[in-house]
Amino acid sequence: MTEAFIYDALRTPRGDGKPTGALYEIRPIQLLQITLQSLQKRHKLDTALIDDVLIGCVSPTDDQGSNLAKAAVMYAGWDLSVGGMTINRFCASGLEAVNLAAMKVRSGWDSLIVAGGVESMSRVPMGSDMGPLLYDPEVIQTINYIPQGVSADLIATRDGFSRSDLDEYAHQSYERVRKARSENRFSQSLVPIYDQNGLLILEEDELLHPNTGLSELAALAPAFAEYGDWGFDHMARIQYPEVARVIPMHTAGNSSRMVDGAALVLVGNKEQGSAAGLKARARIRSAATVSVEPTIMLTGSVPAARKALERAGMTAGDIDLWECNEAFASAVLHFQRAMNVPNDRLNVNGGAIALGHPLGATGAMQIGTMLDELERQDLSTGLVTLCVGGGMGVATIIERV
């Protein structure tokens, strides 16, 4: 079967996902336009060689509505032969786009694809598409679907994690991001954002608050206790009766932050990559998608990782570095324990707790972070995974070439 190579990965900085954030004035189509044009310029890319552009987006409505991928391709001035498709696999949409690109290339039907994601949470808040999993009471009660924050608290309660465990993990994320930034580990993949007058708006991730010590984190109030009081705690205990009470432990400090951002990954076969003058950085060894019980929801990264390892003919011991999306601290700690991942090999540059989680773009951003870090440490293999709403999980294994 044809190999699928990664030729490049780049991303915008993450902007605070509020109307006061630095990227609020930049529409999501502009975030994609800027990254597409940056990718083209970086490689002097003949865009007529691109078969398709796959873009993940979790709230595909309003500024992100219609087929944003194709709109952005045209808006970026790419060749009219290039298609575009917007996909939604919730928080793993960006990684799923990369995996779909790899599948299309490995099938031999496509040769060079741009995949990634975008989310402007300042302009299109989470849940703006009014989907039934969030707003249809009959659906919610029928499938026992609870808010993700309550699910995260349920995982922490069932697994026996304490509030201090969650805060200590969050503190580690903030400290690792600070170290990574001080050593310019993100600079290779970052695309600065300028306004229409050429004035710099944002050149590095906006959200990294100074008051993130353990004492400051411990002082934050639980963010999802009210949801539990609304009845979601009871729904969780119906599914998991061994839990006497879901203990509210997740806060704004140990959960992912809402941000804006976009990311792209260039995937292709050897022949078309050579024709475009590209140098392969890694190959995609395997990919996997699973789903688990939807009430607890945020544990899908574990079976997804195991399935990806099995498909690649690998074991956990063969993986040099791991990236598990920091949607909530308990989700990562659950993954780390289940997969027995050493702390110094997991999320070594921090993650979404410190930097933010631009939903549709995060998985593609993780691929770029992983690739840059494998090269920096001169390591070989990395596994990227995310837990996903509805109980899903997605994982991808890459290997440097």
Side-chain angles (χ1 to χ4, degrees):
M1 185 173 288
T2 302
E3 293 249 42
F5 294 98
I6 297 176
Y7 288 102
D8 205 1
L10 51 78
R11 69 174 178 91
T12 70
R14 297 170 174 91
D16 190 356
K18 301 175 183 177
T20 54
L23 296 181
Y24 176 71
E25 64 182 284
I26 305 298
R27 306 189 309 281
I29 194 170
Q30 291 176 290
L31 291 174
L32 287 174
Q33 175 200 30
I34 291 167
T35 48
L36 287 165
Q37 290 177 342
S38 296
L39 182 67
Q40 178 184 5
K41 183 177 180 181
R42 182 184 289 197
H43 298 286
K44 299 179 180 178
L45 187 62
D46 176 5
T47 60
L49 296 176
I50 303 296
D51 291 303
D52 209 353
V53 173
L54 312 178
I55 297 297
C57 183
V58 175
S59 297
T61 188
D62 296 330
D63 278 351
Q64 296 176 165
S66 188
N67 184 353
L68 185 60
K70 178 55 177 172
V73 168
M74 293 187 288
Y75 194 53
W78 280 31
D79 194 89
L80 295 179
S81 65
V82 182
M85 179 173 69
T86 306
I87 65 170
N88 183 2
R89 200 186 285 280
F90 293 160
C91 296
S93 297
L95 187 61
E96 182 69 11
V98 175
N99 291 348
L100 285 173
M103 295 173 198
K104 285 160 73 74
V105 169
R106 284 171 65 88
S107 74
W109 286 12
D110 283 332
S111 302
L112 199 60
I113 299 176
V114 174
V118 66
E119 207 78 35
S120 178
M121 302 183 77
S122 65
R123 299 180 66 93
V124 188
M126 184 167 56
S128 294
D129 55 348
M130 302 295 290
L133 288 180
L134 295 180
Y135 293 102
D136 189 324
E138 182 183 358
V139 172
I140 291 168
Q141 292 177 14
T142 299
I143 64 177
N144 217 52
Y145 197 82
I146 64 178
Q148 288 194 3
V150 180
S151 178
D153 286 336
L154 174 62
I155 292 170
T157 303
R158 287 187 78 233
D159 284 11
F161 297 126
S162 67
R163 168 67 185 272
S164 61
D165 291 332
L166 307 185
D167 287 346
E168 286 170 9
Y169 180 82
H171 176 67
Q172 173 182 275
S173 181
Y174 288 108
E175 292 304 302
R176 286 183 170 181
V177 167
R178 287 192 178 92
K179 181 176 175 60
R181 281 175 55 156
S182 70
E183 297 178 359
N184 295 316
R185 296 185 191 177
F186 300 140
S187 59
Q188 178 177 344
S189 298
L190 274 175
V191 175
I193 303 297
Y194 296 86
D195 69 11
Q196 59 186 3
N197 298 313
L199 299 177
L200 181 66
I201 294 177
L202 192 63
E203 62 181 343
E204 62 180 4
D205 300 302
E206 184 176 12
L207 274 184
L208 187 57
H209 294 182
N211 298 322
T212 52
L214 286 172
S215 60
E216 287 87 359
L217 291 172
L220 296 172
F224 307 104
E226 185 177 22
Y227 294 115
D229 294 339
W230 289 352
F232 291 113
D233 187 332
H234 176 68
M235 291 173 64
R237 287 185 287 109
I238 289 176
Q239 191 68 33
Y240 296 94
E242 70 273 18
V243 175
R245 171 177 173 262
V246 178
I247 303 172
M249 287 183 270
H250 283 86
T251 70
N254 57 34
S255 307
S256 57
R257 297 160 179 258
M258 293 182 289
V259 293
D260 304 337
L264 299 177
V265 180
L266 181 58
V267 180
N269 63 23
K270 182 178 180 180
E271 292 73 23
Q272 194 73 311
S274 297
L278 301 168
K279 181 180 179 180
R281 297 174 64 187
R283 64 168 58 88
I284 297 177
R285 284 282 302 265
S286 71
T289 302
V290 302
S291 195
V292 298
E293 196 281 310
T295 301
I296 202 160
M297 190 183 317
L298 305 173
T299 61
S301 54
V302 174
R306 288 173 175 161
K307 189 174 182 180
L309 287 167
E310 181 180 0
R311 284 180 170 174
M314 302 171 73
T315 67
D318 297 321
I319 301 298
D320 294 320
L321 293 176
W322 305 72
E323 283 280 328
C324 179
N325 183 41
E326 295 178 351
F328 300 90
S330 66
V332 184
L333 292 176
H334 173 87
F335 177 82
Q336 183 177 22
R337 176 188 288 177
M339 299 301 297
N340 194 27
V341 180
N343 198 51
D344 62 354
R345 294 164 65 181
L346 174 65
N347 297 345
V348 297
N349 290 321
I353 287 175
L355 291 169
H357 177 17
L359 304 184
T362 300
M365 288 186 174
Q366 287 179 282
I367 288 286
T369 298
M370 173 65 77
L371 184 55
D372 289 347
E373 187 62 20
L374 287 172
E375 291 174 347
R376 189 186 74 83
Q377 293 194 39
D378 194 22
L379 297 174
S380 179
T381 56
L383 187 148
V384 173
T385 187
L386 301 92
C387 58
V388 189
M392 293 181 288
V394 177
T396 307
I397 297 175
I398 68 172
E399 180 181 37
R400 285 180 60 208
V401 295

